[in-house]
Amino acid sequence: MFRRAAKPPFCGTFVMKEIAVLKPEESATTGADLLVKALIDEEVEVVFGYPGGAVLPIYDSLFKQNRLRHILVRHEQAAVHAAEGYARSTGKVGVVLVTSGPGATNAVTGLTDALMDSIPIVCLTGQVPTHLIGNDAFQEADTTGITRPCTKHNYLVKSVSDLARSVHEAFYVARSGRPGPVVIDLPKDVLMNKHEYVAPPKVAVTHKSYRPQTQPDPRKIEQAIEMIANAKRPVFYAGGGIINSGPKASKLLTQLVHLTGYPVTNTLMGLGAFPASDRQFLGMLGMHGTYEANLAMHGCDVMINIGARFDDRITGNLTKFSPGSKKIHVDIDPSSINKNVHVDLAIVGDAGIVLEELLKAWKAKQPKVDQKALKAWWAEIDGWRGRNCLAYKPSKQVIKPQYALERLYHHIKDKDHYITTEVGQHQMWAAQFLKFEQPNRWMTSGGLGTMGYGFPAALGVQIAHPEALVIDVAGEASILMNIQELSTAAQYRLPVKIFVLNNHYMGMVRQWQELLHGGRYSESYSESLPDFVKVADAFGARGLRCDDPAKLDDTIKEMIELKHPVIVDVIVDEKENCFPMIPSGAAHNEMLLGPDDKQSAKVSEEGMVLV
Amino acid sequence: MSKDSAIVAHTISVLVANEPGILARVVGLFSGRGYNIESLTVAETNAKESQSRITIVTKGTPMIIEQIKAQLDRLVPVYRVRDLTVEGPHIERELALVKVKGVGEKRVEALRLADVFRAKVIDAKSDSFVFEVTGNTDKVQTFIGLMESLGLVDVVRTGIVAMSRGGEAL
């Protein structure tokens, strides 16, 4: 009960001295006011946060203005996820404000999530006054120390004279290059001291040491065109870098793919970078990607990776990964290149700018593609497509999770919609069965795999797009990780829909236990679940339940029509597994297509240690 | 294949902004990603620009070494990363203080060897010496090895500092 209790305002001698030295002029203002001003100058509209003793001066400044909107979450982790949803659906920087100590440590999961998925976030954390730092003061934590490995960069602002500059720099670092989270730790005395405001620089800043490379080397563009044009069995492999580059990059990718006539696959983070309904789209690749996407990756002779990072969910067994291909890798982060997979041509640059250069060079050169070879390649791909790898056994008795998502998509596809997910089977089914035609419509925790991400992220999306239909596809276990945010949804009347695929298990854990641990379902059963309809009711939301395939359409329609936050508890088949699947330690061409494919599911000892 | 998996030592020079936490960032990167640090030295080298120079000796396969350099370069306060081992000839030096305790013939022998290694006596008592020896790692190592049988009691080493040969700055 003492957590976040307000501390008496700090008025030590240090502060007095600082003020005396500064001789504040009329324009001088407190650090907290100055911070708010800096945020407004950075075109921030919304801050997701939770107050506490160390940030009281900032909350006081927020109280006295109406340019910045503050969204009060119910847990700091949710503040970061909400800011991530906001950032990923708008392309802007998401802003978080939390207090010192527990406020900052609670934000760590969100920050790590944003780092792994390259989401631009500026997180303002309160800190105990400078003279108490290191004294184990109340609600003190070494925030810059704790967040150093889970942020792109962080700052401890020790003097109010550094405050505005640090804020502007933080926004620049967060949004430029490979985006990521930046923490600014703000001791309380710094927030209360006075100083003049320093506006952000009008021209593009050149940071003294941080200079991300966005323009590609023109010689490498030439080489890439040569390799792409001479390919017999090419595949484009596009990831989240396209989304981060902005909607224009998706348009350019689509143009380049159409111009070449080559197949394209997207990573989990890249879904929406290329329209899913396009014939040239092979679906998602990777562990639960489509058969055709993975076999195309395995059998290609030229792989064109744009804005993806050869993550282990994508590559499977590295030694057997796409053995016969020349690989081109476009990435804004040089450390992503040759990290997991050795590539033949590395192009460092912004995905959108590189695509623009590639298109320009392609149009200028008008290279002749080997149409005969391409036709044969497409025939092979169509053969793999013919396996219909996402097929499942329909049922009239029980709702199949895949069916639930198919029906969901049917009802939302013509509406302006955004999808977020939690983490697990439902996430993979959502990636497989929902189709993304545009970028910035799909928010999921890809790198860190954070259960509890989807609902707060959906709140952030809904704040940014008040009129849109925002749906969190969830599992019954994941949703409980941030269920308290129903209170936030109620407070701000955010009509987010939580579509729970309730199979009474931590489904992905259960699936791995079935496939790898002899069906010993250790602790993966969702025991003592709450009644989600009543939970919704208790928070002032609406609750619906459906366990009958015949009634599912009506339930989904009702959910969409309700103008409230809604939890839909969809009771689905408990035993359904997510296929296709590349077992751990296996290669792309060793996919399991369905439950009958189990005989080849013998996982190697090496595979067992992988996650 | 064996060429790609051979583990080699590289000496890397890193020019950084001299700001709080920079060393923690560099060291944390190495521990967090499981890289080795054989030796690390750091000090401010340009007070006006507030820049420090870190010299790191690390070991790994060529792919790992490339990763280490890319990861270092990615840190916001890092100006430049140079791999001295691959970028032409360079000089490496380290300094050691070596304390030897003994009397009689051993004491004389220690002093004689110190002379051979151009080690300086920087402290002397009737039964002990502290030698200051500089040179590349091999030389320092050899000198310390020789002192072992002559009453070595304590050693402290600075770790390697390194610089490219010729007129080019980092």
Side-chain angles (χ1 to χ4, degrees):
Chain A
M1 72 179 283
F2 292 109
R3 213 181 120 196
R4 289 192 197 86
K7 291 159 68 75
F10 171 71
C11 51
T13 51
F14 182 63
V15 173
M16 302 306 287
K17 195 172 123 209
E18 281 280 291
I19 291 169
V21 169
L22 282 169
K23 287 182 208 147
E25 293 166 28
E26 267 179 37
S27 58
T29 168
T30 68
D33 283 342
L34 200 145
L35 171 72
V36 169
K37 206 161 182 258
L39 294 178
I40 290 167
D41 275 351
E42 291 291 340
E43 292 170 7
V44 176
E45 290 160 354
V46 190
V47 177
F48 300 90
Y50 203 108
V55 285
L56 280 176
I58 304 175
Y59 276 85
D60 205 38
S61 299
L62 287 173
F63 191 81
K64 292 183 283 192
Q65 57 84 48
N66 52 18
R67 290 277 298 278
L68 282 182
R69 188 174 176 207
H70 180 272
I71 303 296
L72 176 68
V73 294
R74 301 303 190 264
H75 187 285
E76 289 87 350
Q77 182 194 351
V80 189
H81 293 327
E84 286 184 273
Y86 177 90
R88 195 136 181 98
S89 67
T90 60
K92 298 177 191 167
V93 178
V95 181
V96 179
L97 169 57
V98 298
T99 194
S100 64
T105 54
N106 275 346
V108 164
T109 301
L111 294 169
T112 313
D113 192 273
L115 183 73
M116 295 285 272
D117 286 345
S118 310
I119 314 287
I121 297 288
V122 168
C123 178
L124 310 161
T125 57
Q127 184 54 277
V128 301
T130 44
H131 75 283
L132 285 180
I133 290 179
N135 281 21
D136 298 325
F138 175 65
Q139 292 196 329
E140 182 187 357
D142 175 8
T143 301
T144 47
I146 290 168
T147 61
R148 203 172 282 127
C150 66
T151 54
K152 182 173 173 184
H153 195 52
N154 61 18
Y155 302 85
L156 170 60
V157 180
K158 282 193 168 163
S159 161
V160 66
S161 59
D162 293 333
L163 179 54
R165 187 191 52 76
S166 299
V167 173
H168 300 313
E169 190 180 305
F171 273 85
Y172 170 68
V173 170
R175 70 163 82 91
S176 62
R178 179 179 178 176
V182 177
V183 161
I184 311 176
D185 203 22
L186 300 160
K188 194 169 182 183
D189 55 332
V190 170
L191 295 171
M192 299 180 78
N193 288 346
K194 289 192 173 174
H195 196 265
E196 274 173 72
Y197 179 62
V198 185
K202 294 251 181 326
V203 286
V205 282
T206 41
H207 191 276
K208 60 184 168 70
S209 57
Y210 166 74
R211 299 197 184 154
Q213 185 183 343
T214 54
Q215 294 289 341
D217 179 346
R219 283 166 305 178
K220 295 204 167 177
I221 296 291
E222 290 293 312
Q223 289 172 37
I225 292 293
E226 178 102 11
M227 283 169 74
I228 297 170
N230 290 327
K232 311 274 185 228
R233 298 187 311 281
V235 65
F236 280 98
Y237 150 42
I242 309 259
I243 314 273
N244 274 333
S245 180
K248 194 180 160 202
S250 295
K251 288 208 179 72
L252 294 168
L253 172 72
T254 310
Q255 278 179 38
L256 183 65
V257 170
H258 284 163
L259 212 54
T260 54
Y262 292 175
V264 57
T265 174
N266 280 159
T267 65
L268 181 71
M269 296 309 294
L271 292 176
F274 188 85
S277 59
D278 194 294
R279 212 198 81 81
Q280 282 170 258
F281 186 58
L282 305 183
M284 181 177 76
L285 79 160
M287 187 172 265
H288 293 289
T290 65
Y291 189 62
E292 51 270 30
N294 284 329
L295 286 201
M297 288 287 280
H298 188 79
C300 68
D301 72 337
V302 174
M303 179 189 294
I304 309 122
N305 169 354
I306 306 177
R309 59 182 178 91
F310 294 107
D311 177 86
D312 57 71
R313 297 296 95 161
I314 296 301
T315 61
N317 188 331
L318 273 176
T319 55
K320 297 181 194 163
F321 174 70
S322 192
S325 64
K326 294 264 181 220
K327 298 172 187 76
I328 301 171
H329 188 182
V330 177
D331 206 301
I332 200 161
D333 176 4
S335 78
S336 281
I337 290 168
N338 290 334
K339 181 169 68 181
N340 302 329
V341 171
H342 180 79
V343 295
D344 302 276
L345 178 64
I347 304 178
V348 176
D350 176 84
I353 296 172
V354 173
L355 278 164
E356 200 161 5
E357 294 299 317
L358 284 172
L359 265 171
K360 228 189 279 170
W362 187 275
K363 284 177 182 161
K365 232 180 165 191
Q366 303 270 357
K368 289 267 172 294
V369 169
D370 184 345
Q371 291 298 340
K372 209 176 137 204
L374 187 61
K375 214 174 149 201
W377 179 230
W378 270 114
E380 206 173 340
I381 290 171
D382 285 338
W384 296 326
R385 256 185 186 158
R387 295 287 293 270
N388 196 12
C389 68
L390 296 180
Y392 60 93
K393 287 196 186 101
S395 164
K396 285 205 161 67
Q397 282 74 47
V398 57
I399 300 174
K400 292 281 181 176
Q402 300 97 324
Y403 176 74
L405 288 167
E406 278 179 341
R407 296 319 299 161
L408 177 70
Y409 186 64
H410 174 80
H411 291 287
I412 64 170
K413 66 173 187 281
D414 298 325
K415 295 188 161 59
D416 180 24
H417 68 271
Y418 293 80
I419 303 289
T420 70
T421 75
E422 309 291 335
V423 168
Q425 282 183 323
H426 67 273
Q427 178 191 29
M428 292 296 108
W429 280 316
Q432 292 171 341
F433 287 88
L434 305 177
K435 306 294 169 208
F436 297 93
E437 303 293 327
Q438 297 168 53
N440 305 101
R441 299 289 174 145
W442 164 247
M443 275 52 62
T444 195
S445 172
L448 192 64
T450 312
M451 291 170 74
Y453 165 88
F455 179 36
L459 298 178
V461 175
Q462 190 82 73
I463 294 280
H465 310 276
E467 303 302 325
L469 176 61
V470 182
I471 300 172
D472 169 33
V473 176
E476 85 289 338
S478 281
I479 191 61
L480 285 176
M481 286 214 180
N482 269 320
I483 193 81
Q484 78 286 346
E485 296 307 314
L486 275 170
S487 184
T488 310
Q491 181 180 345
Y492 298 96
R493 297 193 172 81
L494 301 172
V496 165
K497 318 300 181 206
I498 306 171
F499 194 73
V500 180
L501 297 177
N502 184 348
N503 61 359
H504 296 97
Y505 275 102
M506 297 160 204
M508 196 58 94
V509 173
R510 195 202 58 77
Q511 176 166 345
W512 280 53
Q513 287 173 333
E514 180 184 323
L515 297 177
L516 281 89
H517 295 276
R520 293 177 293 280
Y521 301 127
S522 178
E523 303 293 329
S524 57
Y525 185 68
S526 290
E527 191 70 60
S528 303
L529 280 176
D531 179 332
F532 285 108
V533 175
K534 284 186 183 162
V535 167
D537 194 43
F539 278 100
R542 296 288 185 273
L544 305 171
R545 179 171 294 120
C546 183
D547 57 4
D548 180 357
K551 291 183 185 150
L552 185 60
D553 279 326
D554 286 343
T555 308
I556 293 171
K557 275 190 236 163
E558 193 184 348
M559 170 192 91
I560 293 171
E561 275 158 22
L562 278 167
K563 299 293 174 222
H564 299 79
V566 183
I567 301 184
V568 190
D569 188 16
V570 185
I571 312 297
V572 298
D573 189 351
E574 292 190 355
K575 291 284 153 63
E576 194 69 20
N577 282 339
C578 186
F579 288 109
M581 177 182 185
I582 302 175
S584 3
H588 279 176
N589 60 343
E590 298 165 344
M591 278 197 105
L592 308 182
L593 278 170
D596 306 331
D597 228 3
K598 249 184 223 167
Q599 65 277 13
S600 55
K602 188 85 186 104
V603 171
S604 64
E605 259 179 57
E606 268 173 64
M608 285 289 281
V609 300
L610 302 173
V611 284
Chain B
M1 191 67 202
S2 63
K3 189 171 164 268
D4 290 341
S5 56
I7 292 178
V8 275
H10 282 243
T11 306
I12 296 169
S13 237
V14 193
L15 190 65
V16 300
N18 184 15
E19 58 181 44
I22 177 62
L23 190 60
R25 278 180 216 285
V26 170
V27 173
L29 190 156
F30 275 75
S31 66
R33 292 183 183 269
Y35 306 141
N36 295 307
I37 298 181
E38 300 283 312
S39 153
L40 181 140
T41 61
V42 55
E44 188 173 71
T45 50
N46 183 341
K48 210 171 76 193
E49 304 275 333
S50 189
Q51 291 175 341
S52 290
R53 190 149 152 177
I54 302 177
T55 309
I56 303 170
V57 181
T58 181
K59 272 185 179 171
T61 63
M63 209 157 151
I64 296 282
I65 298 287
E66 285 309 309
Q67 258 301 296
I68 291 173
K69 289 186 276 185
Q71 292 290 354
L72 283 168
D73 211 15
R74 202 161 78 120
L75 297 176
V76 170
V78 167
Y79 287 90
R80 269 192 291 288
V81 178
R82 290 283 182 273
D83 186 341
L84 297 173
T85 304
V86 297
E87 292 182 16
H90 70 283
I91 316 140
E92 292 186 3
R93 284 292 177 273
E94 70 172 308
L95 182 147
L97 302 183
V98 182
K99 188 178 280 184
V100 181
K101 201 173 173 187
V103 290
E105 193 49 43
K106 282 192 174 174
R107 184 174 160 84
V108 176
E109 180 62 10
L111 202 56
R112 198 155 38 218
L113 281 168
D115 192 40
V116 173
F117 279 77
R118 278 179 281 173
K120 278 192 280 184
V121 177
I122 55 173
D123 178 68
K125 291 277 173 327
S126 58
D127 64 343
S128 72
F129 285 122
V130 175
F131 297 115
E132 173 197 309
V133 59
T134 59
N136 61 26
T137 301
D138 255 4
K139 174 183 164 186
V140 172
Q141 196 78 49
T142 311
F143 182 70
I144 294 166
L146 287 168
M147 289 303 121
E148 255 166 32
S149 60
L150 301 174
L152 180 75
V153 288
D154 214 358
V155 178
V156 59
R157 297 167 72 160
T158 57
I160 286 165
V161 289
M163 194 178 254
S164 64
R165 287 185 184 272
E168 294 290 308
L170 182 74

